[in-house]
Amino acid sequence: MQCRIMIPNRDQAPIERCQKCSVRHKAVCGALNDAELARLNQIARTRQIKPGQTVFSDQEQPEFFANIVSGVIKLTKTLSDGRQQIVGLLFAPDFLGRAYGGESPYLAEAATDVELCCFPSDNFEHMLGDFPDLEHRLFENTLDELDSAREWMLLLGRKTAQEKVASFLLMIAHRAPNIGCAHSDEMNFVQFALPLSRADIADYLGLTIETVSRHFTKLKSDGVINIINNREIAVPDIDMLANRADLEDAL
Amino acid sequence: MQCRIMIPNRDQAPIERCQKCSVRHKAVCGALNDAELARLNQIARTRQIKPGQTVFSDQEQPEFFANIVSGVIKLTKTLSDGRQQIVGLLFAPDFLGRAYGGESPYLAEAATDVELCCFPSDNFEHMLGDFPDLEHRLFENTLDELDSAREWMLLLGRKTAQEKVASFLLMIAHRAPNIGCAHSDEMNFVQFALPLSRADIADYLGLTIETVSRHFTKLKSDGVINIINNREIAVPDIDMLANRADLEDAL
DNA sequence: CGCGGTGTTGAAGGCATTCAATTGTTGTGG
DNA sequence: CCACAACAATTGAATGCCTTCAACACCGCG
């Protein structure tokens, strides 16, 4: 099994593989020139992950870092009695792993089918020292993650369930185009696939499954969204949804 | 007024001032050697801030970064209708400011009397390029902030009011010794000063003032804490408090 | 002493949760 | 192709926790 998911591809022409890579310039690799990229490529291994499968355990020393080539990874924290909270969602071309971290402070698992480009921890941390641009890129990445985390703190602490659900849909609508699961015909119309189950959405918003479901149907009956099926949502007017995200306007 | 709070101290012997500084080795300056420190010191200005005073506005391009020499700074985000959430607390010797950020995504204001050691943005960002160790230190700082933010997301999304209040007291009890406002006589006994008002605590925990107050008195009547006065708390048995933080055990 | 600010306490109400039952979806084997 | 099981999602009714609104106590200060 271990050998099935860690596919060596040293045999490919190093740079060629990266040149064909869909996230070559958007991921952290974008900070590297060809020579540096060749070195990184030498230690890189692709890996396929199934939905629900664990990538890093809690309290475990991760053995690799990774670029997300496709799919969505969720980062979760858990209380002793089982209550869960998703503390981060990673989309392609995000970077997975905490540099200089020791053990991972949270559980990382696949929310969808995921393709990773993995780098062994020790090799990669060594490269960080050699390539300042790479570390700098990771730093900026981390700053963005911190901003998102704080944005979500505002949501968790102060928004109503309705606003939470609307904010979530809005966030997916904005990020989905980059992961190729959305299309937009007219100006304000968007349709996209949800990368998360209702249970995951609840864990992300600090709500229960039932509350999430109720507000989906409320948004539907208010004409703000169209539920094509459980995983496919259409938004006729994105501004209308945005209004629901910040402030419960009347009724 | 501007001239009153930006006190030039170029006249002091550069290194001497830093050598006497209480956070010399704990703050980001710890990453610098004497020569580098001398350069940083040349652009540094100390600044005193009163409680409630704003350091950075929302949506404003900050003109400086700063080390917190003493006191506590709160970072807040606000919804359009005024609901507030504190998304970060900074204690000495933490670093204030978002590198490479453009405008600040949140409001920074003093929770207590604060002493800052400020560095003009452009100078400082330039130094980041010159001193990789300094940037590295900031990076590690940011990673720690991200961990704290995610820890707080778990609290905001999944903990009860009782657990939130207990978690807050526990966090202050742990950090207070480092900021010189706590003492511990016996093994499990701790006493400390709260750096925040009830209103600030509420904004930090995603609760109302009243709920915070109620759970303070509940913890008191349960014998978990002793309320010396509004700003002074004694904890007879810190483990007892820790139990309240994670899991509501019976009652 | 009175005043403003801060914190506490009480009663009523609302929003999200909990518990429970039903419907819908997916995949598997007959 | 359908029946069936297992899972995911929706819907309903009742409970409860936190909020809201309001009044009161406390504290420092002029």
Side-chain angles (χ1 to χ4, degrees):
Chain A
M1 176 162 181
Q2 183 72 0
C3 55
R4 261 194 57 232
I5 52 180
M6 292 293 280
I7 305 164
N9 21 22
R10 195 170 257 152
D11 42 330
Q12 286 198 21
I15 297 299
E16 191 192 339
R17 171 161 66 123
C18 292
Q19 278 169 343
K20 287 189 299 191
C21 177
S22 56
V23 298
R24 158 74 178 95
H25 294 286
K26 289 183 287 184
V28 288
C29 329
L32 301 174
N33 61 35
D34 282 357
E36 294 163 345
L37 192 62
R39 189 172 143 199
L40 182 62
N41 181 64
Q42 261 193 343
I43 63 169
R45 300 288 178 276
T46 59
R47 187 174 161 180
Q48 312 290 333
I49 317 267
K50 286 278 156 212
Q53 195 178 335
T54 296
V55 183
F56 298 151
S57 273
D58 224 351
Q59 320 290 31
E60 167 202 327
Q61 184 91 19
E63 288 169 1
F64 57 89
F65 298 96
N67 279 326
I68 301 177
V69 179
S70 68
V72 179
I73 298 258
K74 50 181 178 162
L75 308 175
T76 18
K77 287 178 88 76
T78 308
L79 290 174
S80 49
D81 65 351
R83 282 172 288 173
Q84 272 196 329
Q85 177 67 44
I86 294 182
V87 297
L89 272 193
L90 299 177
F91 298 76
D94 290 340
F95 181 83
L96 172 63
R98 203 211 116 121
Y100 317 116
E103 55 187 29
S104 164
Y106 31 70
L107 174 74
E109 53 183 354
T112 64
D113 275 305
V114 170
E115 184 179 357
L116 295 180
C117 182
C118 303
F119 319 109
S121 303
D122 40 1
N123 281 329
F124 188 79
E125 291 206 355
H126 200 269
M127 285 184 67
L128 281 184
D130 295 347
F131 304 150
D133 287 351
L134 182 58
E135 180 171 41
H136 181 80
R137 181 83 162 227
L138 271 191
F139 184 18
E140 297 227 28
N141 241 325
T142 306
L143 285 166
D144 290 339
E145 280 191 287
L146 181 57
D147 286 344
S148 319
R150 286 174 166 164
E151 183 70 37
W152 221 249
M153 286 173 70
L154 176 63
L155 175 143
L156 291 171
R158 291 305 187 195
K159 289 194 180 179
T160 65
Q162 170 107 205
E163 293 167 328
K164 286 179 175 182
V165 170
S167 299
F168 171 77
L169 291 173
L170 204 59
M171 187 216 71
I172 298 296
H174 281 136
R175 301 202 68 167
N178 303 322
I179 56 176
C181 64
H183 61 270
S184 170
D185 293 350
E186 317 158 21
M187 203 44 199
N188 278 334
F189 178 92
V190 197
Q191 182 171 337
F192 51 86
L194 293 176
L196 300 185
S197 67
R198 296 292 188 273
D200 284 340
I201 296 172
D203 280 348
Y204 197 31
L205 298 176
L207 299 171
T208 59
I209 305 176
E210 294 92 327
T211 303
V212 170
S213 178
R214 278 183 238 281
H215 286 285
F216 264 88
T217 52
K218 174 147 178 38
L219 286 173
K220 177 187 173 186
S221 61
D222 288 358
V224 180
I225 64 173
N226 249 315
I227 303 179
I228 313 294
N229 61 51
N230 284 339
R231 287 293 186 122
E232 194 80 16
I233 302 290
V235 181
D237 180 0
I238 195 83
D239 294 335
M240 216 158 146
L241 183 61
N243 282 338
R244 297 300 181 105
D246 252 4
L247 179 63
E248 196 117 63
D249 37 4
L251 117 102
Chain B
M1 177 163 181
Q2 182 72 358
C3 55
R4 262 194 57 233
I5 53 180
M6 291 294 280
I7 304 164
N9 20 23
R10 195 172 253 151
D11 41 330
Q12 286 197 23
I15 296 299
E16 190 192 339
R17 170 161 68 123
C18 293
Q19 279 169 341
K20 287 189 299 190
C21 176
S22 55
V23 298
R24 158 74 178 94
H25 293 286
K26 290 182 287 185
V28 289
C29 329
L32 301 175
N33 62 35
D34 283 357
E36 292 163 347
L37 192 62
R39 189 173 145 199
L40 182 62
N41 181 64
Q42 260 192 343
I43 63 169
R45 299 289 177 277
T46 58
R47 186 174 161 180
Q48 312 290 333
I49 317 268
K50 286 279 155 212
Q53 195 178 335
T54 297
V55 184
F56 298 150
S57 272
D58 224 351
Q59 321 288 32
E60 167 202 326
Q61 184 92 16
E63 288 170 0
F64 57 89
F65 298 97
N67 280 326
I68 301 177
V69 179
S70 68
V72 179
I73 298 258
K74 49 181 179 160
L75 308 177
T76 36
K77 286 177 88 79
T78 308
L79 290 174
S80 49
D81 65 351
R83 281 173 288 172
Q84 272 196 327
Q85 178 65 44
I86 293 182
V87 298
L89 271 193
L90 299 177
F91 297 77
D94 289 342
F95 181 83
L96 171 64
R98 203 211 116 122
Y100 316 115
E103 56 188 30
S104 163
Y106 32 71
L107 173 74
E109 53 183 355
T112 64
D113 275 305
V114 170
E115 185 180 355
L116 296 179
C117 181
C118 304
F119 319 109
S121 303
D122 40 0
N123 281 327
F124 188 79
E125 290 206 354
H126 200 269
M127 285 185 68
L128 280 183
D130 294 347
F131 304 148
D133 286 351
L134 183 59
E135 180 171 43
H136 181 82
R137 182 82 161 227
L138 270 191
F139 184 17
E140 298 227 26
N141 242 324
T142 306
L143 285 165
D144 289 339
E145 282 192 285
L146 181 57
D147 286 344
S148 320
R150 285 174 167 165
E151 182 70 36
W152 221 249
M153 285 174 69
L154 176 63
L155 175 143
L156 291 171
R158 291 306 186 194
K159 289 194 180 179
T160 65
Q162 170 107 203
E163 293 167 328
K164 285 180 176 181
V165 170
S167 299
F168 171 76
L169 291 173
L170 204 59
M171 187 215 72
I172 298 295
H174 281 136
R175 301 202 68 168
N178 302 324
I179 57 174
C181 65
H183 61 271
S184 169
D185 294 349
E186 317 157 21
M187 202 45 200
N188 278 332
F189 178 90
V190 197
Q191 183 171 337
F192 51 85
L194 293 176
L196 299 185
S197 67
R198 296 291 187 274
D200 283 341
I201 297 172
D203 280 348
Y204 198 30
L205 298 176
L207 298 171
T208 58
I209 305 176
E210 296 92 328
T211 304
V212 171
S213 179
R214 279 183 239 279
H215 286 285
F216 264 87
T217 52
K218 175 147 176 40
L219 286 173
K220 177 187 173 186
S221 61
D222 288 358
V224 179
I225 64 173
N226 249 316
I227 302 179
I228 312 294
N229 62 51
N230 284 339
R231 287 294 186 120
E232 195 79 15
I233 302 289
V235 181
D237 180 1
I238 195 83
D239 295 334
M240 215 158 146
L241 183 62
N243 282 337
R244 298 299 182 104
D246 251 4
L247 178 62
E248 196 118 62
D249 37 4
L251 96 110

